[in-house]
Amino acid sequence: MNLRTLPSFFATIAFFFLSALTATSQAIKHQNKTKTEVELVNIKSAQKVDVIIGGKFFTSYCYSDSLMKQILYPILTDGGKPVTRGWPIKPRPGESTDHPHQRGLWLNYGDVNGYDFWGNSYAIEPEIRKVQKGRIKHIKVEQLSSGAEGILVADESWLSPSGNQLLAEKTTYHFSAQGATRIIDRITTLTATDSVVTFKDTKEGMFGIRYNRFLKLPTQKSESFVDALGDTTTIAPTSGETTGNYLSSEGITGDSVWGTRAKWIDLYGNINGEKVSLIICDHPKNFDYPTYWHARGYGLFAANPFGAHDFTDGKLTINFTLYKGQSVTFRYRVIISSGEHLSEAEISRLAKDFYKKY
């Protein structure tokens, strides 16, 4: 080798060596980022399963008999901020006290064979509950698995007010983390056990969360909302602490996302100074993808594939029917960032990962 070329040769070797070290370091960092330990702990005395990520409490799967459905509650960011409303379970100062049935993160529906599974709570008079309201009863926790991903499998039963089973439910939750971002994947299969089970078209559904008041959309006026039974709820103007805004995969923002279709919607804002994105993703295998969104600025954020009549001003109606033994599966991903508002590119990446996984 010519001595005059030695410096260039060693410089080339050093470049490739440093590049290899950088790539290895980035790979290790990515591996550590995506393999945060998830621990699931079934506390039977409290009828809940705690989800611990990286040593920090994240959420609880609550299956208490005092609930009309199973919920994830509370749900915290990596920074420890609650993205769920506290009321009526553990009220926090300044919270609104409307819609007592909207607790945590849930999946149910407002009209199944004429029974309301959406708007049911113990705040409803017993005489009404016994006639109109359905209940989702917890049967058992079938599987718990801790590790890089936490997996919880549960069996539930959708019951009419008289106790007749309409649907058998099997739900699998996948809990994971990527750095300060938390991910919940919910895969729910409903199987008709009654002869015919119809999800009649209503806006009151289906996969929803009641979120922290700081993520509400700012408004200077009172707003009134009418439910499927004709009951009206009036929401007061928000304070200056509300910081939320919606952005859909289709580029629609604010309250205008209500009733539109989208692959995902991002609710972003600040909770006590912490930047947070709360995203729900639909899945291409779900019925009538991309779904309609029952997303309100006052605190309700829900995906509803069956509410076409309300969302299209009566132009389209969907009455979805299962016959005995038939099943339908719903797949949803919830993404919760901490310390930053996720970019559209990052949301799309996480959504595509969800599509490929299930």
Side-chain angles (χ1 to χ4, degrees), residues 23-322:
T24 301
S25 175
Q26 290 176 342
I28 292 172
K29 188 182 293 184
H30 180 72
Q31 185 180 48
N32 290 336
K33 181 179 179 181
T34 58
K35 291 193 175 181
T36 305
E37 185 74 14
V38 181
E39 182 184 6
L40 303 185
V41 182
N42 193 357
I43 306 174
K44 294 181 180 179
S45 60
Q47 293 184 297
K48 66 175 184 172
V49 176
D50 282 350
V51 182
I52 314 297
I53 298 183
K56 301 177 184 178
F57 175 81
F58 172 46
T59 189
S60 291
Y61 166 72
C62 303
Y63 56 92
S64 170
D65 292 332
S66 65
L67 299 169
M68 295 301 183
K69 57 184 178 291
Q70 293 67 55
I71 61 175
L72 296 184
Y73 174 90
I75 301 175
L76 308 186
T77 68
D78 179 65
K81 301 296 192 301
V83 297
T84 43
R85 178 176 69 168
W87 189 86
I89 300 175
K90 291 185 178 180
R92 296 189 291 268
E95 290 186 322
S96 58
T97 56
D98 58 274
H99 299 89
H101 54 278
Q102 293 179 4
R103 309 174 181 202
L105 178 73
W106 69 87
L107 188 151
N108 60 10
Y109 196 67
D111 192 332
V112 182
N113 280 13
Y115 302 118
D116 179 11
F117 287 82
W118 174 269
N120 197 6
S121 75
Y122 282 107
I124 304 294
E125 294 84 351
E127 295 75 19
I128 295 176
R129 289 206 318 268
K130 291 176 182 178
V131 176
Q132 299 176 350
K133 306 296 183 177
R135 177 190 174 201
I136 303 176
K137 178 179 174 57
H138 174 74
I139 305 301
K140 65 178 179 179
V141 173
E142 190 173 299
Q143 177 189 336
L144 285 181
S145 176
S146 300
E149 178 181 74
I151 299 175
L152 186 159
V153 181
D155 295 338
E156 328 291 355
S157 181
W158 292 46
L159 304 176
S160 72
S162 64
N164 178 48
Q165 186 187 54
L166 304 180
L167 296 159
E169 173 186 326
K170 183 179 292 294
T171 291
T172 301
Y173 296 91
H174 298 258
F175 302 99
S176 61
Q178 295 187 18
T181 297
R182 302 290 181 256
I183 298 173
I184 304 166
D185 294 337
R186 175 170 179 155
I187 315 299
T188 293
T189 297
L190 302 176
T191 302
T193 53
D194 209 0
S195 56
V196 179
V197 178
T198 298
F199 296 79
K200 189 175 179 180
D201 195 312
T202 175
K203 69 182 184 340
E204 310 297 350
M206 176 175 216
F207 180 64
I209 185 171
R210 184 61 192 257
Y211 53 80
N212 188 307
R213 68 186 180 90
F214 289 102
L215 295 179
K216 289 182 179 181
L217 276 61
T219 178
Q220 302 301 315
K221 61 180 182 179
S222 296
E223 295 181 277
S224 295
F225 302 95
V226 182
D227 65 19
L229 298 176
D231 296 325
T232 300
T233 299
T234 299
I235 307 297
T238 58
S239 68
E241 296 175 321
T242 59
T243 63
N245 195 15
Y246 286 115
L247 170 67
S248 83
S249 61
E250 312 312 297
I252 300 173
T253 60
D255 281 312
S256 296
V257 301
W258 188 87
T260 64
R261 290 177 178 269
K263 303 175 184 69
W264 52 259
I265 286 186
D266 174 20
L267 172 65
Y268 60 93
N270 301 330
I271 301 177
N272 290 328
E274 179 184 333
K275 290 183 178 180
V276 174
S277 284
L278 170 62
I279 300 130
I280 300 178
C281 301
D282 194 20
H283 194 286
K285 292 182 181 178
N286 284 350
F287 174 80
D288 209 24
Y289 171 87
T291 190
Y292 293 100
W293 294 89
H294 186 22
R296 299 290 201 186
Y298 71 75
L300 171 66
F301 182 12
N304 182 358
F306 297 147
H309 184 84
D310 288 309
F311 300 140
T312 64
D313 292 325
K315 296 175 184 176
L316 181 65
T317 298
I318 296 173
N319 292 318
F320 183 83
T321 296
L322 294 173

